[in-house]
Amino acid sequence: AAAHHLAPHWSQASLAWRQLEAWAFKVSPDLRASFNGAAKPGAWRHFVEELQLSPSDESQLLGLQLLSAIHNGQHFSSDMELALSNGVIEQASGDDTEPVPHTVRTQQATLGLIGGYAAYSELASTRLYPLELVAGWTRFFRDQLPH
């Protein structure tokens, strides 16, 4: 029964990513290349536990869970570097342990999947963070709130 209940949601998530993949590849292969693979096994459970989500909260995030099972957001080494420098994540892997050159950081700043704008000397670009960064930054900002 649960699989039957999930089938239409999985179909929607899969269709959404297929459409985004096709559009991104046509518009910018670099944008398409920024898509992560599927979330690693256990990533969703770690996300739920780190954010201390209730079963009700978790059920409200079914769409995110299914989307991350196909592509776990976008990957930018500059995002990982920023998260590491702020203590949002404890460690990075592979190429993310090296400093990010300014030219790479500038290029990555324009590849947010959700869009952005540039005005004067400001640039805003909205990315799809992987679960690890969503949880880490959420925890970081929650810790800034008065208790």
Side-chain angles (χ1 to χ4, degrees), residues 76-140:
F76 295 109
S77 50
S78 57
D79 291 343
M80 300 305 278
E81 181 181 69
L82 181 65
L84 276 169
S85 69
N86 282 284
V88 169
I89 57 174
E90 294 180 11
Q91 64 182 20
S93 59
D95 294 339
D96 292 327
T97 58
E98 298 296 320
V100 180
H102 178 72
T103 54
V104 172
R105 187 178 294 111
T106 301
Q107 178 195 23
Q108 290 179 353
T110 63
L111 294 175
L113 181 61
I114 302 177
Y117 65 89
Y120 305 102
S121 63
E122 300 298 320
L123 172 66
S125 178
T126 309
R127 299 121 144 63
L128 287 179
Y129 273 167
L131 294 174
E132 173 186 26
L133 291 183
V134 172
W137 282 112
T138 299
R139 183 182 27 73
F140 177 85

Side-chain angles (χ1 to χ4, degrees), residues 36-58:
N36 277 324
K40 293 179 181 172
W44 181 256
R45 186 60 25 219
H46 177 76
F47 175 82
V48 168
E49 290 170 2
E50 183 168 348
L51 294 180
Q52 300 175 346
L53 297 176
S54 70
S56 176
D57 292 338
E58 183 179 0

